[in-house]
Amino acid sequence: MLYILGAIIIVLVVIIFWQSQRRRELSASIQSLQSNLDRTRSNLASDELESNELEHQLAVLRIELGSLKGRLETLQHYQHILDVEQYVLERRQQVEMFVEMVKSEAENTREQCKQQVEKVRDFLAEHEQKTKAKMLKTAQDQLGAFYNLVEERQQLEQVMTALYHKIENQTPAFQLPAQQLLDDLIEGYGYSDAAQHLQQVRHKIQDAVKNQEVAHCAFVDEQRRLAAVTLLTQAFNSKADLYLAQLTEQNLAESLQALQDDFTLLNHYAAAFGHAKILDSYLTLRQEELKFAALLLAFKQESILSDATN
């Protein structure tokens, strides 16, 4: 009996312990559920707040969308202006392409014109020489001995004028001022053109010296003729080189006149040596050399002044 009672007591104790344990577990579960419920309520409140904010933003966006639609309807009236701007942009691009094409064609035309001008200039120079020779021949035939007298008188007048310049060391009143002469030379020439032309003139001078096209002499004896031509060539070139070395923008006119006077005097003195004579074509080359050398000096001086001003 005692054993049965003890077993019943043990069973009751176990049941009570199990119930107590079960109650604690249920209490913990309830607390956990309560905590989750509170957290869920908090999250739900937060979600509701965010939902309200999103609804507010959506309402604002709807209002802005309506406003933008209204502005779009208003701006549609100006769509033709945008079309015009696009048209103007396209036309501008076409015009720029056309301008570039015209520039290229103009440059080609300019080069062709320069070549034609050079050809015409050479033709006119040749025609002028032929015309002068023909007129001189006609005058000689018509005037006979009087022509030689007139020619000698003109030569003597030129010699007297050259001697007067050398003695008095002054420039004739009819001579152009250096600046005016430089302005006449600069017209139509850029810096590169002037430099290129000067280089061409110097090549022609070298070719003339090399080919003995500087002076002429009527001596039959070849050795005497070459001696007279060489002496006259060196004398004239020394004068031309001296004026070139002393050349400035201001003394161009004086240098040209001095070279012309030396040409006249040397030819006058050399006439006694087989009618030796510096050729007019060589005088023209040396004068061209002086002119374009002075032109380059003027360009360089202008460039220096421009750099100093800037």
Side-chain angles (χ1 to χ4, degrees), residues 155 158-160 162-163 166 214-216 228-241 243 257-280 282-283 286:
Q155 291 177 354
Q158 292 176 355
V159 171
M160 290 176 60
L163 286 173
K166 294 298 181 182
V214 177
H216 170 75
V229 168
T230 301
L231 181 61
L232 190 57
T233 299
Q234 291 181 354
F236 183 73
N237 279 337
S238 64
K239 290 290 186 179
D241 292 339
Y243 300 141
Q257 184 61 56
L259 187 62
Q260 178 68 48
D261 294 339
D262 291 329
F263 172 80
T264 301
L265 292 175
L266 287 174
N267 284 344
H268 175 69
Y269 296 141
F273 301 94
H275 297 285
K277 181 181 184 299
I278 298 292
L279 298 179
D280 293 338
Y282 191 71
L283 170 65
R286 295 311 302 251

mmCIF file of all heavy atoms in Angstrom, residues 155 158-160 162-163 166 214-216 228-241 243 257-280 282-283 286:
data_model
loop_
_atom_site.group_PDB
_atom_site.id
_atom_site.type_symbol
_atom_site.label_atom_id
_atom_site.label_comp_id
_atom_site.label_asym_id
_atom_site.label_seq_id
_atom_site.Cartn_x
_atom_site.Cartn_y
_atom_site.Cartn_z
ATOM 1 N N GLN A 155 73.665 110.716 -123.817
ATOM 2 C CA GLN A 155 74.637 110.015 -122.985
ATOM 3 C C GLN A 155 75.487 110.995 -122.189
ATOM 4 O O GLN A 155 75.761 110.779 -121.004
ATOM 5 C CB GLN A 155 75.516 109.122 -123.856
ATOM 6 C CG GLN A 155 74.779 107.932 -124.463
ATOM 7 C CD GLN A 155 75.665 107.112 -125.375
ATOM 8 O OE1 GLN A 155 76.812 107.490 -125.652
ATOM 9 N NE2 GLN A 155 75.132 106.000 -125.871
ATOM 10 N N GLN A 158 73.457 112.344 -119.343
ATOM 11 C CA GLN A 158 73.370 111.360 -118.260
ATOM 12 C C GLN A 158 74.670 111.296 -117.470
ATOM 13 O O GLN A 158 74.661 111.204 -116.235
ATOM 14 C CB GLN A 158 73.035 109.981 -118.839
ATOM 15 C CG GLN A 158 71.637 109.884 -119.428
ATOM 16 C CD GLN A 158 71.382 108.539 -120.083
ATOM 17 O OE1 GLN A 158 72.283 107.705 -120.177
ATOM 18 N NE2 GLN A 158 70.156 108.332 -120.563
ATOM 19 N N VAL A 159 75.804 111.372 -118.198
ATOM 20 C CA VAL A 159 77.101 111.348 -117.515
ATOM 21 C C VAL A 159 77.266 112.582 -116.645
ATOM 22 O O VAL A 159 77.725 112.504 -115.490
ATOM 23 C CB VAL A 159 78.235 111.245 -118.549
ATOM 24 C CG1 VAL A 159 79.590 111.448 -117.869
ATOM 25 C CG2 VAL A 159 78.194 109.893 -119.242
ATOM 26 N N MET A 160 76.872 113.747 -117.173
ATOM 27 C CA MET A 160 76.983 114.982 -116.398
ATOM 28 C C MET A 160 76.105 114.918 -115.145
ATOM 29 O O MET A 160 76.518 115.334 -114.055
ATOM 30 C CB MET A 160 76.575 116.174 -117.271
ATOM 31 C CG MET A 160 77.575 116.498 -118.390
ATOM 32 S SD MET A 160 76.979 117.830 -119.456
ATOM 33 C CE MET A 160 76.814 119.155 -118.265
ATOM 34 N N ALA A 162 75.119 112.184 -113.553
ATOM 35 C CA ALA A 162 75.707 111.229 -112.613
ATOM 36 C C ALA A 162 76.908 111.838 -111.903
ATOM 37 O O ALA A 162 77.083 111.670 -110.686
ATOM 38 C CB ALA A 162 76.108 109.956 -113.357
ATOM 39 N N LEU A 163 77.757 112.553 -112.651
ATOM 40 C CA LEU A 163 78.912 113.205 -112.030
ATOM 41 C C LEU A 163 78.467 114.258 -111.022
ATOM 42 O O LEU A 163 79.066 114.402 -109.946
ATOM 43 C CB LEU A 163 79.789 113.846 -113.115
ATOM 44 C CG LEU A 163 80.617 112.877 -113.968
ATOM 45 C CD1 LEU A 163 81.288 113.630 -115.109
ATOM 46 C CD2 LEU A 163 81.665 112.169 -113.104
ATOM 47 N N LYS A 166 77.511 112.525 -107.870
ATOM 48 C CA LYS A 166 78.662 112.033 -107.124
ATOM 49 C C LYS A 166 79.415 113.178 -106.446
ATOM 50 O O LYS A 166 79.903 113.044 -105.324
ATOM 51 C CB LYS A 166 79.612 111.279 -108.063
ATOM 52 C CG LYS A 166 79.029 109.999 -108.637
ATOM 53 C CD LYS A 166 78.701 109.002 -107.544
ATOM 54 C CE LYS A 166 78.145 107.711 -108.126
ATOM 55 N NZ LYS A 166 77.781 106.740 -107.072
ATOM 56 N N VAL A 214 76.401 89.758 -117.875
ATOM 57 C CA VAL A 214 76.433 90.990 -117.090
ATOM 58 C C VAL A 214 76.815 92.175 -117.966
ATOM 59 O O VAL A 214 76.196 93.239 -117.899
ATOM 60 C CB VAL A 214 77.415 90.854 -115.913
ATOM 61 C CG1 VAL A 214 77.515 92.165 -115.138
ATOM 62 C CG2 VAL A 214 76.987 89.718 -115.001
ATOM 63 N N ALA A 215 77.830 91.981 -118.785
ATOM 64 C CA ALA A 215 78.356 93.085 -119.592
ATOM 65 C C ALA A 215 78.661 92.593 -121.006
ATOM 66 O O ALA A 215 78.719 91.384 -121.273
ATOM 67 C CB ALA A 215 79.618 93.664 -118.949
ATOM 68 N N HIS A 216 78.861 93.561 -121.878
ATOM 69 C CA HIS A 216 79.156 93.270 -123.289
ATOM 70 C C HIS A 216 80.384 94.067 -123.712
ATOM 71 O O HIS A 216 80.595 95.199 -123.259
ATOM 72 C CB HIS A 216 77.963 93.645 -124.167
ATOM 73 C CG HIS A 216 78.264 93.609 -125.630
ATOM 74 N ND1 HIS A 216 78.378 92.437 -126.337
ATOM 75 C CD2 HIS A 216 78.493 94.624 -126.526
ATOM 76 C CE1 HIS A 216 78.653 92.710 -127.596
ATOM 77 N NE2 HIS A 216 78.732 94.031 -127.743
ATOM 78 N N ALA A 228 88.082 92.890 -120.163
ATOM 79 C CA ALA A 228 87.266 94.101 -120.040
ATOM 80 C C ALA A 228 85.928 93.800 -119.375
ATOM 81 O O ALA A 228 85.465 94.542 -118.490
ATOM 82 C CB ALA A 228 87.048 94.719 -121.423
ATOM 83 N N VAL A 229 85.290 92.697 -119.781
ATOM 84 C CA VAL A 229 83.996 92.325 -119.200
ATOM 85 C C VAL A 229 84.142 92.003 -117.716
ATOM 86 O O VAL A 229 83.328 92.422 -116.880
ATOM 87 C CB VAL A 229 83.399 91.128 -119.967
ATOM 88 C CG1 VAL A 229 82.209 90.547 -119.205
ATOM 89 C CG2 VAL A 229 82.966 91.552 -121.362
ATOM 90 N N THR A 230 85.205 91.264 -117.359
ATOM 91 C CA THR A 230 85.420 90.891 -115.956
ATOM 92 C C THR A 230 85.671 92.120 -115.096
ATOM 93 O O THR A 230 85.112 92.258 -113.994
ATOM 94 C CB THR A 230 86.605 89.925 -115.845
ATOM 95 O OG1 THR A 230 86.337 88.762 -116.632
ATOM 96 C CG2 THR A 230 86.826 89.518 -114.397
ATOM 97 N N LEU A 231 86.514 93.030 -115.586
ATOM 98 C CA LEU A 231 86.817 94.242 -114.831
ATOM 99 C C LEU A 231 85.565 95.090 -114.628
ATOM 100 O O LEU A 231 85.290 95.572 -113.516
ATOM 101 C CB LEU A 231 87.887 95.050 -115.566
ATOM 102 C CG LEU A 231 88.333 96.353 -114.886
ATOM 103 C CD1 LEU A 231 88.943 96.054 -113.525
ATOM 104 C CD2 LEU A 231 89.317 97.107 -115.771
ATOM 105 N N LEU A 232 84.789 95.260 -115.686
ATOM 106 C CA LEU A 232 83.573 96.068 -115.592
ATOM 107 C C LEU A 232 82.538 95.402 -114.679
ATOM 108 O O LEU A 232 81.869 96.074 -113.884
ATOM 109 C CB LEU A 232 82.989 96.267 -116.998
ATOM 110 C CG LEU A 232 81.844 97.274 -117.132
ATOM 111 C CD1 LEU A 232 82.263 98.644 -116.626
ATOM 112 C CD2 LEU A 232 81.388 97.361 -118.588
ATOM 113 N N THR A 233 82.436 94.083 -114.762
ATOM 114 C CA THR A 233 81.485 93.348 -113.914
ATOM 115 C C THR A 233 81.839 93.482 -112.445
ATOM 116 O O THR A 233 80.976 93.747 -111.594
ATOM 117 C CB THR A 233 81.463 91.861 -114.312
ATOM 118 O OG1 THR A 233 81.042 91.737 -115.671
ATOM 119 C CG2 THR A 233 80.520 91.074 -113.417
ATOM 120 N N GLN A 234 83.120 93.305 -112.122
ATOM 121 C CA GLN A 234 83.535 93.408 -110.726
ATOM 122 C C GLN A 234 83.350 94.823 -110.187
ATOM 123 O O GLN A 234 82.948 95.013 -109.030
ATOM 124 C CB GLN A 234 84.993 92.965 -110.591
ATOM 125 C CG GLN A 234 85.195 91.469 -110.812
ATOM 126 C CD GLN A 234 86.642 91.051 -110.637
ATOM 127 O OE1 GLN A 234 87.521 91.894 -110.461
ATOM 128 N NE2 GLN A 234 86.891 89.750 -110.696
ATOM 129 N N ALA A 235 83.631 95.819 -111.014
ATOM 130 C CA ALA A 235 83.462 97.205 -110.571
ATOM 131 C C ALA A 235 81.993 97.503 -110.266
ATOM 132 O O ALA A 235 81.659 98.099 -109.227
ATOM 133 C CB ALA A 235 83.994 98.160 -111.638
ATOM 134 N N PHE A 236 81.112 97.081 -111.154
ATOM 135 C CA PHE A 236 79.687 97.359 -110.946
ATOM 136 C C PHE A 236 79.131 96.553 -109.771
ATOM 137 O O PHE A 236 78.362 97.077 -108.948
ATOM 138 C CB PHE A 236 78.913 97.044 -112.229
ATOM 139 C CG PHE A 236 77.452 97.377 -112.137
ATOM 140 C CD1 PHE A 236 77.018 98.694 -112.158
ATOM 141 C CD2 PHE A 236 76.500 96.376 -112.016
ATOM 142 C CE1 PHE A 236 75.674 99.008 -112.059
ATOM 143 C CE2 PHE A 236 75.154 96.682 -111.919
ATOM 144 C CZ PHE A 236 74.739 98.002 -111.945
ATOM 145 N N ASN A 237 79.520 95.278 -109.665
ATOM 146 C CA ASN A 237 79.019 94.447 -108.563
ATOM 147 C C ASN A 237 79.515 94.941 -107.213
ATOM 148 O O ASN A 237 78.806 94.842 -106.204
ATOM 149 C CB ASN A 237 79.438 92.989 -108.769
ATOM 150 C CG ASN A 237 78.538 92.267 -109.749
ATOM 151 O OD1 ASN A 237 77.388 92.657 -109.961
ATOM 152 N ND2 ASN A 237 79.050 91.213 -110.363
ATOM 153 N N SER A 238 80.736 95.468 -107.180
ATOM 154 C CA SER A 238 81.242 95.994 -105.908
ATOM 155 C C SER A 238 80.405 97.184 -105.450
ATOM 156 O O SER A 238 80.109 97.332 -104.254
ATOM 157 C CB SER A 238 82.709 96.396 -106.056
ATOM 158 O OG SER A 238 82.854 97.460 -106.991
ATOM 159 N N LYS A 239 79.999 98.025 -106.394
ATOM 160 C CA LYS A 239 79.134 99.152 -106.050
ATOM 161 C C LYS A 239 77.764 98.658 -105.574
ATOM 162 O O LYS A 239 77.232 99.119 -104.555
ATOM 163 C CB LYS A 239 78.966 100.066 -107.268
ATOM 164 C CG LYS A 239 80.210 100.839 -107.653
ATOM 165 C CD LYS A 239 80.517 101.909 -106.616
ATOM 166 C CE LYS A 239 81.666 102.794 -107.062
ATOM 167 N NZ LYS A 239 81.952 103.864 -106.073
ATOM 168 N N ALA A 240 77.182 97.713 -106.317
ATOM 169 C CA ALA A 240 75.855 97.201 -105.955
ATOM 170 C C ALA A 240 75.887 96.505 -104.595
ATOM 171 O O ALA A 240 74.980 96.680 -103.768
ATOM 172 C CB ALA A 240 75.355 96.239 -107.033
ATOM 173 N N ASP A 241 76.937 95.726 -104.333
ATOM 174 C CA ASP A 241 77.050 95.040 -103.043
ATOM 175 C C ASP A 241 77.238 96.035 -101.902
ATOM 176 O O ASP A 241 76.743 95.821 -100.785
ATOM 177 C CB ASP A 241 78.218 94.054 -103.075
ATOM 178 C CG ASP A 241 77.960 92.889 -104.022
ATOM 179 O OD1 ASP A 241 76.778 92.637 -104.334
ATOM 180 O OD2 ASP A 241 78.938 92.244 -104.451
ATOM 181 N N TYR A 243 76.018 99.143 -101.766
ATOM 182 C CA TYR A 243 74.718 99.757 -101.480
ATOM 183 C C TYR A 243 73.786 98.761 -100.781
ATOM 184 O O TYR A 243 72.983 99.148 -99.923
ATOM 185 C CB TYR A 243 74.075 100.252 -102.777
ATOM 186 C CG TYR A 243 74.907 101.291 -103.494
ATOM 187 C CD1 TYR A 243 75.016 101.294 -104.885
ATOM 188 C CD2 TYR A 243 75.603 102.267 -102.789
ATOM 189 C CE1 TYR A 243 75.785 102.237 -105.546
ATOM 190 C CE2 TYR A 243 76.373 103.212 -103.440
ATOM 191 C CZ TYR A 243 76.467 103.189 -104.821
ATOM 192 O OH TYR A 243 77.233 104.128 -105.466
ATOM 193 N N GLN A 257 69.334 105.490 -106.963
ATOM 194 C CA GLN A 257 69.875 106.547 -107.816
ATOM 195 C C GLN A 257 71.393 106.432 -107.928
ATOM 196 O O GLN A 257 71.970 106.622 -109.005
ATOM 197 C CB GLN A 257 69.493 107.917 -107.256
ATOM 198 C CG GLN A 257 69.932 109.076 -108.135
ATOM 199 C CD GLN A 257 69.304 109.025 -109.512
ATOM 200 O OE1 GLN A 257 68.082 108.980 -109.639
ATOM 201 N NE2 GLN A 257 70.132 109.008 -110.554
ATOM 202 N N ALA A 258 72.049 106.096 -106.813
ATOM 203 C CA ALA A 258 73.506 105.957 -106.841
ATOM 204 C C ALA A 258 73.925 104.813 -107.761
ATOM 205 O O ALA A 258 74.905 104.926 -108.514
ATOM 206 C CB ALA A 258 74.031 105.719 -105.426
ATOM 207 N N LEU A 259 73.181 103.705 -107.719
ATOM 208 C CA LEU A 259 73.499 102.581 -108.595
ATOM 209 C C LEU A 259 73.271 102.957 -110.056
ATOM 210 O O LEU A 259 74.054 102.569 -110.936
ATOM 211 C CB LEU A 259 72.640 101.371 -108.212
ATOM 212 C CG LEU A 259 72.970 100.067 -108.941
ATOM 213 C CD1 LEU A 259 74.395 99.625 -108.629
ATOM 214 C CD2 LEU A 259 71.985 98.962 -108.553
ATOM 215 N N GLN A 260 72.221 103.706 -110.316
ATOM 216 C CA GLN A 260 71.960 104.174 -111.683
ATOM 217 C C GLN A 260 73.095 105.087 -112.162
ATOM 218 O O GLN A 260 73.547 104.982 -113.312
ATOM 219 C CB GLN A 260 70.628 104.924 -111.721
ATOM 220 C CG GLN A 260 70.262 105.495 -113.083
ATOM 221 C CD GLN A 260 69.942 104.419 -114.105
ATOM 222 O OE1 GLN A 260 69.172 103.507 -113.823
ATOM 223 N NE2 GLN A 260 70.531 104.516 -115.283
ATOM 224 N N ASP A 261 73.582 105.950 -111.285
ATOM 225 C CA ASP A 261 74.689 106.843 -111.650
ATOM 226 C C ASP A 261 75.962 106.050 -111.920
ATOM 227 O O ASP A 261 76.702 106.341 -112.879
ATOM 228 C CB ASP A 261 74.928 107.856 -110.534
ATOM 229 C CG ASP A 261 73.751 108.811 -110.370
ATOM 230 O OD1 ASP A 261 72.962 108.949 -111.325
ATOM 231 O OD2 ASP A 261 73.612 109.395 -109.280
ATOM 232 N N ASP A 262 76.241 105.046 -111.090
ATOM 233 C CA ASP A 262 77.426 104.208 -111.317
ATOM 234 C C ASP A 262 77.315 103.467 -112.647
ATOM 235 O O ASP A 262 78.313 103.311 -113.370
ATOM 236 C CB ASP A 262 77.578 103.200 -110.171
ATOM 237 C CG ASP A 262 77.967 103.878 -108.871
ATOM 238 O OD1 ASP A 262 78.661 104.905 -108.923
ATOM 239 O OD2 ASP A 262 77.559 103.379 -107.799
ATOM 240 N N PHE A 263 76.127 103.005 -112.955
ATOM 241 C CA PHE A 263 75.892 102.337 -114.239
ATOM 242 C C PHE A 263 76.227 103.278 -115.402
ATOM 243 O O PHE A 263 76.915 102.898 -116.364
ATOM 244 C CB PHE A 263 74.427 101.892 -114.298
ATOM 245 C CG PHE A 263 73.983 101.361 -115.629
ATOM 246 C CD1 PHE A 263 74.265 100.062 -116.010
ATOM 247 C CD2 PHE A 263 73.269 102.170 -116.512
ATOM 248 C CE1 PHE A 263 73.844 99.571 -117.243
ATOM 249 C CE2 PHE A 263 72.849 101.686 -117.736
ATOM 250 C CZ PHE A 263 73.140 100.386 -118.105
ATOM 251 N N THR A 264 75.768 104.508 -115.297
ATOM 252 C CA THR A 264 76.027 105.487 -116.371
ATOM 253 C C THR A 264 77.510 105.810 -116.489
ATOM 254 O O THR A 264 78.079 105.822 -117.599
ATOM 255 C CB THR A 264 75.225 106.767 -116.096
ATOM 256 O OG1 THR A 264 73.825 106.451 -116.033
ATOM 257 C CG2 THR A 264 75.454 107.797 -117.194
ATOM 258 N N LEU A 265 78.167 106.071 -115.363
ATOM 259 C CA LEU A 265 79.580 106.462 -115.393
ATOM 260 C C LEU A 265 80.477 105.311 -115.841
ATOM 261 O O LEU A 265 81.399 105.509 -116.650
ATOM 262 C CB LEU A 265 80.006 106.960 -114.012
ATOM 263 C CG LEU A 265 79.375 108.280 -113.558
ATOM 264 C CD1 LEU A 265 79.785 108.603 -112.127
ATOM 265 C CD2 LEU A 265 79.783 109.413 -114.491
ATOM 266 N N LEU A 266 80.233 104.118 -115.321
ATOM 267 C CA LEU A 266 81.064 102.980 -115.709
ATOM 268 C C LEU A 266 80.927 102.690 -117.202
ATOM 269 O O LEU A 266 81.924 102.395 -117.884
ATOM 270 C CB LEU A 266 80.677 101.747 -114.889
ATOM 271 C CG LEU A 266 81.120 101.750 -113.421
ATOM 272 C CD1 LEU A 266 80.542 100.550 -112.682
ATOM 273 C CD2 LEU A 266 82.644 101.733 -113.322
ATOM 274 N N ASN A 267 79.719 102.764 -117.717
ATOM 275 C CA ASN A 267 79.533 102.542 -119.152
ATOM 276 C C ASN A 267 80.209 103.642 -119.972
ATOM 277 O O ASN A 267 80.742 103.388 -121.062
ATOM 278 C CB ASN A 267 78.041 102.476 -119.484
ATOM 279 C CG ASN A 267 77.423 101.148 -119.076
ATOM 280 O OD1 ASN A 267 78.135 100.176 -118.830
ATOM 281 N ND2 ASN A 267 76.104 101.103 -118.999
ATOM 282 N N HIS A 268 80.187 104.856 -119.443
ATOM 283 C CA HIS A 268 80.848 105.959 -120.157
ATOM 284 C C HIS A 268 82.360 105.748 -120.201
ATOM 285 O O HIS A 268 82.985 105.897 -121.265
ATOM 286 C CB HIS A 268 80.515 107.281 -119.466
ATOM 287 C CG HIS A 268 81.248 108.451 -120.043
ATOM 288 N ND1 HIS A 268 81.002 108.946 -121.307
ATOM 289 C CD2 HIS A 268 82.254 109.225 -119.516
ATOM 290 C CE1 HIS A 268 81.807 109.971 -121.541
ATOM 291 N NE2 HIS A 268 82.574 110.162 -120.468
ATOM 292 N N TYR A 269 82.951 105.405 -119.064
ATOM 293 C CA TYR A 269 84.400 105.207 -119.028
ATOM 294 C C TYR A 269 84.813 103.951 -119.796
ATOM 295 O O TYR A 269 85.890 103.906 -120.408
ATOM 296 C CB TYR A 269 84.877 105.092 -117.580
ATOM 297 C CG TYR A 269 84.665 106.352 -116.774
ATOM 298 C CD1 TYR A 269 84.251 106.294 -115.439
ATOM 299 C CD2 TYR A 269 84.871 107.608 -117.344
ATOM 300 C CE1 TYR A 269 84.054 107.448 -114.705
ATOM 301 C CE2 TYR A 269 84.668 108.767 -116.612
ATOM 302 C CZ TYR A 269 84.259 108.685 -115.296
ATOM 303 O OH TYR A 269 84.060 109.831 -114.572
ATOM 304 N N ALA A 270 83.964 102.916 -119.751
ATOM 305 C CA ALA A 270 84.320 101.652 -120.400
ATOM 306 C C ALA A 270 84.117 101.692 -121.905
ATOM 307 O O ALA A 270 84.531 100.759 -122.607
ATOM 308 C CB ALA A 270 83.483 100.514 -119.805
ATOM 309 N N ALA A 271 83.507 102.754 -122.418
ATOM 310 C CA ALA A 271 83.288 102.835 -123.865
ATOM 311 C C ALA A 271 84.603 102.870 -124.627
ATOM 312 O O ALA A 271 84.675 102.457 -125.794
ATOM 313 C CB ALA A 271 82.454 104.071 -124.195
ATOM 314 N N ALA A 272 85.659 103.342 -123.968
ATOM 315 C CA ALA A 272 86.968 103.393 -124.620
ATOM 316 C C ALA A 272 87.609 102.019 -124.740
ATOM 317 O O ALA A 272 88.595 101.857 -125.464
ATOM 318 C CB ALA A 272 87.899 104.330 -123.847
ATOM 319 N N PHE A 273 87.066 101.027 -124.042
ATOM 320 C CA PHE A 273 87.617 99.670 -124.074
ATOM 321 C C PHE A 273 86.675 98.756 -124.856
ATOM 322 O O PHE A 273 85.939 97.943 -124.295
ATOM 323 C CB PHE A 273 87.815 99.137 -122.651
ATOM 324 C CG PHE A 273 88.732 99.980 -121.817
ATOM 325 C CD1 PHE A 273 88.224 100.972 -120.990
ATOM 326 C CD2 PHE A 273 90.109 99.807 -121.882
ATOM 327 C CE1 PHE A 273 89.066 101.757 -120.225
ATOM 328 C CE2 PHE A 273 90.952 100.589 -121.112
ATOM 329 C CZ PHE A 273 90.438 101.572 -120.285
ATOM 330 N N GLY A 274 86.699 98.948 -126.152
ATOM 331 C CA GLY A 274 85.884 98.087 -127.009
ATOM 332 C C GLY A 274 84.401 98.272 -126.788
ATOM 333 O O GLY A 274 83.631 97.319 -126.927
ATOM 334 N N HIS A 275 84.002 99.504 -126.446
ATOM 335 C CA HIS A 275 82.583 99.794 -126.189
ATOM 336 C C HIS A 275 81.990 98.824 -125.160
ATOM 337 O O HIS A 275 80.856 98.347 -125.305
ATOM 338 C CB HIS A 275 81.772 99.733 -127.489
ATOM 339 C CG HIS A 275 82.186 100.757 -128.494
ATOM 340 N ND1 HIS A 275 81.871 102.097 -128.390
ATOM 341 C CD2 HIS A 275 82.937 100.635 -129.641
ATOM 342 C CE1 HIS A 275 82.382 102.759 -129.417
ATOM 343 N NE2 HIS A 275 83.040 101.901 -130.194
ATOM 344 N N ALA A 276 82.787 98.538 -124.132
ATOM 345 C CA ALA A 276 82.283 97.670 -123.050
ATOM 346 C C ALA A 276 81.126 98.366 -122.344
ATOM 347 O O ALA A 276 81.125 99.589 -122.169
ATOM 348 C CB ALA A 276 83.402 97.358 -122.061
ATOM 349 N N LYS A 277 80.146 97.571 -121.912
ATOM 350 C CA LYS A 277 78.920 98.158 -121.355
ATOM 351 C C LYS A 277 78.217 97.153 -120.442
ATOM 352 O O LYS A 277 78.079 95.979 -120.791
ATOM 353 C CB LYS A 277 77.975 98.566 -122.491
ATOM 354 C CG LYS A 277 76.674 99.213 -122.040
ATOM 355 C CD LYS A 277 75.815 99.549 -123.241
ATOM 356 C CE LYS A 277 74.549 100.298 -122.813
ATOM 357 N NZ LYS A 277 73.703 99.496 -121.905
ATOM 358 N N ILE A 278 77.802 97.642 -119.267
ATOM 359 C CA ILE A 278 76.933 96.840 -118.401
ATOM 360 C C ILE A 278 75.555 96.750 -119.054
ATOM 361 O O ILE A 278 74.999 97.769 -119.490
ATOM 362 C CB ILE A 278 76.814 97.465 -116.999
ATOM 363 C CG1 ILE A 278 78.179 97.520 -116.311
ATOM 364 C CG2 ILE A 278 75.825 96.684 -116.135
ATOM 365 C CD1 ILE A 278 78.737 96.177 -115.946
ATOM 366 N N LEU A 279 75.002 95.557 -119.120
ATOM 367 C CA LEU A 279 73.707 95.378 -119.775
ATOM 368 C C LEU A 279 72.582 95.964 -118.924
ATOM 369 O O LEU A 279 72.614 95.915 -117.693
ATOM 370 C CB LEU A 279 73.447 93.888 -120.019
ATOM 371 C CG LEU A 279 74.452 93.175 -120.940
ATOM 372 C CD1 LEU A 279 74.097 91.704 -121.071
ATOM 373 C CD2 LEU A 279 74.494 93.845 -122.311
ATOM 374 N N ASP A 280 71.592 96.524 -119.608
ATOM 375 C CA ASP A 280 70.439 97.096 -118.905
ATOM 376 C C ASP A 280 69.698 96.036 -118.087
ATOM 377 O O ASP A 280 69.172 96.325 -117.010
ATOM 378 C CB ASP A 280 69.473 97.727 -119.912
ATOM 379 C CG ASP A 280 70.071 98.946 -120.594
ATOM 380 O OD1 ASP A 280 71.006 99.539 -120.019
ATOM 381 O OD2 ASP A 280 69.607 99.295 -121.695
ATOM 382 N N TYR A 282 70.939 93.546 -116.502
ATOM 383 C CA TYR A 282 71.624 93.274 -115.237
ATOM 384 C C TYR A 282 71.415 94.421 -114.252
ATOM 385 O O TYR A 282 71.265 94.199 -113.045
ATOM 386 C CB TYR A 282 73.115 93.057 -115.485
ATOM 387 C CG TYR A 282 73.840 92.518 -114.272
ATOM 388 C CD1 TYR A 282 73.642 91.209 -113.849
ATOM 389 C CD2 TYR A 282 74.703 93.323 -113.539
ATOM 390 C CE1 TYR A 282 74.289 90.714 -112.736
ATOM 391 C CE2 TYR A 282 75.359 92.837 -112.423
ATOM 392 C CZ TYR A 282 75.144 91.528 -112.025
ATOM 393 O OH TYR A 282 75.786 91.034 -110.910
ATOM 394 N N LEU A 283 71.391 95.649 -114.756
ATOM 395 C CA LEU A 283 71.075 96.790 -113.888
ATOM 396 C C LEU A 283 69.688 96.615 -113.267
ATOM 397 O O LEU A 283 69.492 96.860 -112.067
ATOM 398 C CB LEU A 283 71.129 98.089 -114.694
ATOM 399 C CG LEU A 283 70.592 99.339 -113.974
ATOM 400 C CD1 LEU A 283 71.455 99.682 -112.769
ATOM 401 C CD2 LEU A 283 70.505 100.518 -114.939
ATOM 402 N N ARG A 286 69.818 94.098 -110.359
ATOM 403 C CA ARG A 286 70.415 94.615 -109.128
ATOM 404 C C ARG A 286 69.505 95.647 -108.460
ATOM 405 O O ARG A 286 69.455 95.748 -107.227
ATOM 406 C CB ARG A 286 71.790 95.233 -109.411
ATOM 407 C CG ARG A 286 72.868 94.275 -109.904
ATOM 408 C CD ARG A 286 72.997 93.005 -109.068
ATOM 409 N NE ARG A 286 73.277 93.222 -107.679
ATOM 410 C CZ ARG A 286 74.449 92.950 -107.081
ATOM 411 N NH1 ARG A 286 75.457 92.469 -107.798
ATOM 412 N NH2 ARG A 286 74.606 93.125 -105.793
#
